[in-house]
Amino acid sequence: MNNKKFAIISIFAAIIVVLQVISTYVNFGSFSITLTLIPIIVAGAVYGIGIGALMGLVFGIVVSIMVIVGADPNGAIMFASHPVITISTCLLKGAVAGAIGSLIYNKVENKKLAILLDAVITPILNTTILYISLILFFDSSFTAMITAFMSINFILEFLINILLAPRLTNLINRAKSRDIK
């Protein structure tokens, strides 16, 4: 990896950290709306599956820290009940969403369709992995309560990604044309 690529990937990581910390305090219902999926999608589209997964992992690390320190109240409740499962879920959901989203982007020829599919699948995977963890490992009444709040947040995150998808294509094309690979 050359210095330019390393620097740009580091900038993506820094953007993810800042957006996630800010997003932790912007709540709709009981869960925060994550805006960090956008830079994860762009980084994965420009640099591929490995970087998509890495950026998703950066997101998961920041979420884990927010959970551990109690900045994310519902995450803190989950952590108090099942700390290893909670942290594993935070790390896994980000990395998988970043990897699969960038895989889809890089496999679909029509890049406008590719970014739309990436923008659709990334939040779906992120939320679905959390739902599965809740269903498998947590109390059903807690899961039901959290699911109601998460549904609103998911819809907002999903719509943000879909609305920004056409703009992301422009960013990705500019990034690739400037030879930052």
Side-chain angles (χ1 to χ4, degrees):
M1 180 182 311
N2 65 40
N3 289 340
K4 189 174 185 180
K5 182 178 177 182
F6 181 78
I8 292 169
I9 291 168
S10 298
I11 291 168
F12 274 113
I15 291 168
I16 290 166
V17 170
V18 170
L19 283 175
Q20 188 56 38
V21 170
I22 291 169
S23 293
T24 299
Y25 300 102
V26 178
N27 294 320
F28 290 88
S30 294
F31 276 85
S32 60
I33 300 295
T34 183
L35 302 173
T36 58
L37 297 179
I38 302 302
I40 293 169
I41 290 168
V42 174
V46 173
Y47 294 110
I49 298 164
I51 298 304
L54 178 63
M55 295 300 103
L57 187 61
V58 168
F59 161 60
I61 291 168
V62 177
V63 171
S64 296
I65 291 168
M66 295 289 117
V67 164
I68 291 167
V69 302
D72 178 339
N74 287 315
I77 293 168
M78 292 170 61
F79 183 74
S81 177
H82 298 289
V84 172
I85 290 169
T86 301
I87 299 306
S88 297
T89 300
C90 291
L91 299 175
L92 181 69
K93 70 186 186 83
V96 168
I100 301 297
S102 59
L103 172 69
I104 289 169
Y105 179 84
N106 287 293
K107 293 292 181 188
V108 174
E109 292 294 322
N110 178 329
K111 292 307 174 192
K112 288 193 185 269
L113 175 61
I115 196 63
L116 183 62
L117 291 172
D118 190 353
V120 166
I121 198 69
T122 301
I124 288 173
L125 286 170
N126 183 55
T127 302
T128 300
I129 292 170
L130 179 56
Y131 277 139
I132 291 168
S133 179
L134 285 167
I135 290 165
L136 291 177
F137 302 109
F138 293 89
D139 177 77
S140 61
S141 59
F142 176 74
T143 300
M145 179 189 73
I146 296 304
T147 299
F149 292 119
M150 283 176 48
S151 298
I152 295 165
N153 290 26
F154 168 75
I155 291 167
L156 291 172
E157 288 173 5
F158 187 79
L159 290 174
I160 288 168
N161 280 356
I162 297 301
L163 292 173
L164 291 178
R167 290 284 175 216
L168 296 180
T169 304
N170 295 336
L171 285 172
I172 293 162
N173 290 339
R174 277 192 225 134
K176 286 185 174 186
S177 71
R178 291 188 179 158
D179 193 32
I180 58 172
K181 286 195 138 203

